[in-house]
């Protein structure tokens, strides 16, 4: 799976300020604009690449996720607009790691060229975002599962199993229920 992501020529839009090179691919996050939507849209507008990857990890609620420093919330409609402007018809993978991130699985966002993987169902929280945690449970599980997965569905299944095991260890009363959408043109 890592090789697949490497081949994407990916742009990563993250809620954290991060600029660097991963496997020879430049990744950047625009964090200097005045609105969260502009930040995300600017990060995704970098030309080149055959596909697009947006990996967002932040705090969220049922209205969207928080993108700093603008101190605003990115709604599903705003994310869809940024993806459409920045990625267009290119194959696009969107990972949203936030509480209530299933809110991004709307009819509007579910395009044939998109894969959308969320850390939680719309009405659920995700776990492991404390000050002493290096990664959220979902992010840790996803990153640990990358090398062994061949398809996005396999990655999602392995990540879900890991998240479920972690939540059992934490005695979580209501599981986060990570969600996956795979569009028809990227299903193969």
């Amino acid at each position: 799976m890592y090789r697949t992501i490497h081949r994407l020529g990916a742009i990563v839009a993250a809620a954290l300020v991060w600029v660097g090179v991963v496997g020879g691919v430049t990744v950047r996050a625009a964090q200097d604009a005045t609105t969260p939507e502009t930040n995300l849209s600017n990060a995704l507008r970098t030309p080149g690449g055959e596909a697009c990857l947006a990996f967002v990890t932040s705090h969220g609620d049922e209205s969207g996720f928080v993108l700093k420093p603008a101190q605003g919330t990115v709604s599903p409609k705003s994310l869809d607009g940024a993806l459409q402007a920045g990625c267009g018809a290119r194959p696009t993978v969107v990972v949203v790691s936030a509480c209530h991130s299933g809110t991004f699985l709307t009819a509007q966002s579910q395009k044939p060229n998109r894969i959308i993987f969320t850390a939680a169902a719309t009405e659920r929280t995700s776990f492991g975002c404390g000050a002493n945690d290096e990664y959220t449970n979902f992010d840790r599980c996803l990153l640990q599962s990358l090398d062994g997965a061949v398809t996005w569905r396999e990655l999602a299944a392995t990540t879900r199993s890991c998240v479920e095991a972690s939540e059992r260890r934490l005695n979580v009363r209501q599981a986060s229920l990570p969600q996956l959408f795979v569009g028809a043109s990227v299903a193969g």
Side-chain angles (χ1 to χ4, degrees):
M1 184 59 67
Y2 174 78
R3 286 185 290 269
T4 301
I5 292 173
H6 174 74
R7 285 193 306 266
L8 289 177
I11 303 300
V12 177
L16 303 172
V17 177
W18 185 45
V19 178
V21 175
V22 175
V25 177
T26 301
V27 291
R28 39 172 242 161
Q31 291 292 307
D32 55 358
T34 57
T35 68
E37 292 84 357
T38 303
N39 281 335
L40 191 57
S41 187
N42 287 344
L44 291 169
R45 286 181 196 265
T46 300
E50 296 175 10
C52 196
L53 170 67
F55 191 115
V56 180
T57 186
S58 186
H59 295 289
D61 60 29
E62 291 184 25
S63 67
F65 63 82
V66 176
L67 191 62
K68 294 184 179 189
Q71 300 294 328
T73 300
V74 175
S75 69
K77 183 178 179 182
S78 295
L79 178 61
D80 182 63
L83 291 167
Q84 198 59 39
C87 302
R90 293 184 289 169
T92 301
V93 176
V94 182
V95 179
V96 183
S97 177
C99 290
H100 309 284
S101 51
T103 197
F104 289 94
L105 291 171
T106 65
Q108 181 181 12
S109 69
Q110 294 180 15
K111 307 256 192 285
N113 66 314
R114 290 189 188 159
I115 295 169
I116 304 170
F117 192 23
T118 69
T122 301
E123 70 283 356
R124 303 292 179 99
T125 58
S126 55
F127 301 92
C129 57
N132 294 325
D133 297 314
E134 184 175 6
Y135 297 106
T136 65
N137 289 344
F138 177 81
D139 289 352
R140 179 182 44 75
C141 290
L142 178 82
L143 294 171
Q144 287 174 351
S145 300
L146 273 176
D147 286 339
V150 176
T151 67
W152 290 101
R153 290 184 198 281
E154 184 180 332
L155 176 63
T158 306
T159 301
R160 280 185 192 128
S161 293
C162 176
V163 167
E164 290 167 2
S166 180
E167 290 175 348
R168 278 192 303 276
R169 280 192 305 276
L170 293 170
N171 294 316
V172 169
R173 295 166 76 191
Q174 192 173 42
S176 57
L177 303 177
Q179 305 289 299
L180 177 71
F181 166 80
V182 178
S185 68
V186 290

